[in-house]
Amino acid sequence: MSAIVVKDISKRFKIPHHKKTTLFQNMVGLVKRQMTYEEFWALKDVSFEVQRGETFGIIGRNGSGKSTLLKLLAMVLYPDSGTIAINGKVASFLELGAGFQPELTAKENVYIYSSILGMNRKETAKIYDGIFEFAELKRFEDMKLKNYSSGMYLRLAFATAIQTDPDIMLVDEVLAVGDEAFQKKCILKMNEFRERGKTIIFVSHALESVRSICTSAILLHNGSVVARGAAEPVIRNYLELLK
C-alpha cells in the first residue's frame, strides 16, 4: 500500500524585483504588482509514489526544490497545482529546532512539540523519559532552550519526533549537524524505525547516508524529477550532473 502519492504538483513563488522599505514603496508595489514581481517555479509537474515501509531519498543541488517538496509533504506549503495523498500519521523534522520556543525550557518544549505532532499530554508523559534518554539531555531538561547549543537543539528535536512513533517521518538534513556519535545513533534509530514498517522521506546532501538508509530515491534538478528508482543508480545520476 502506498504511504504517499504525489501527482503532477507544481509550486511557484513571487520574487520582488525591487526591495521595498517604506510604506509608500509598499503601496506603490500593491498598485503595480505586475511590474514588481516575477514568477519562480520551485517545482514543476513532480510525480512519485512511496510505498509503506520504504525509506525514500530526495537529492539534488541547492535550489533544486528539495526543501520546498518536503514542506509540501508536511503541509507547511500547498501546491499551486497537482495533488498529494498521505496515508498515516506524519512527523516533520524540516529544520533545526522548528517549532521550539527559546524562552521556554526543554521540558516545556517537548510537550509543545509533541502536541504539534498530534500527541496529548498523557501520551507525551509516557515517552518523556525516552526522549531525554535518547537525546542525552536529562540534566538539561529545565534549562531554557535559548541556552542550548545547536547540537543540543538537534538532539532534542530529533528525539522528540522519533519517540512520537509516527507512520511517516519527513527528515531534512538531520544527519548534517551534530557529532559523529550522534549521527550514527540517528542512523541506527532510523533503521529500527524502518524495520518496524514505518516510512521515511529523507532529504540530504550526504550521499553516503542516502546510500546506507534509502531503498529508493528521486533526483530533482531545476524543480523537475530527472531520475527515479533504486537509490544507487539515482546517486550515480546525481554525480554525473555535478561534473
Side-chain angles (χ1 to χ4, degrees), residues 180-232:
E180 186 176 352
F182 183 72
Q183 291 176 20
K184 289 180 179 178
K185 193 174 184 179
C186 288
I187 291 174
L188 288 172
K189 192 67 176 179
M190 290 170 73
N191 283 332
E192 175 190 321
F193 189 76
R194 181 179 59 186
E195 288 167 3
R196 292 172 53 215
K198 308 291 186 173
T199 306
I200 300 170
I201 308 298
F202 183 50
V203 172
S204 181
H205 289 101
L207 298 183
E208 286 306 315
S209 296
V210 175
R211 278 193 177 98
S212 66
I213 66 174
C214 293
T215 51
S216 58
I218 58 172
L219 170 60
L220 289 176
H221 182 63
N222 293 333
S224 298
V225 176
V226 295
R228 74 185 77 197
E232 185 58 37

Side-chain angles (χ1 to χ4, degrees), residues 107-174:
K107 179 178 182 178
E108 292 168 326
N109 271 285
V110 162
Y111 277 94
I112 291 172
Y113 192 39
S114 294
S115 69
I116 293 172
L117 296 176
M119 302 193 73
N120 60 39
R121 192 169 183 84
K122 186 176 181 180
E123 290 171 328
T124 302
K126 291 180 180 179
I127 63 171
Y128 180 86
D129 289 338
I131 291 171
F132 280 92
E133 180 182 349
F134 183 88
E136 301 172 3
L137 294 171
K138 182 65 176 176
R139 60 185 293 203
F140 304 107
E141 64 182 332
D142 293 316
M143 180 186 289
K144 287 187 176 181
L145 243 61
K146 68 180 182 181
N147 297 318
Y148 268 35
S149 68
S150 59
M152 293 166 76
Y153 253 77
L154 170 72
R155 285 152 55 186
L156 185 64
F158 183 84
T160 305
I162 202 74
Q163 290 292 334
T164 59
D165 197 29
D167 301 305
I168 301 168
M169 192 169 188
L170 309 177
V171 183
D172 189 1
E173 296 289 6
V174 68

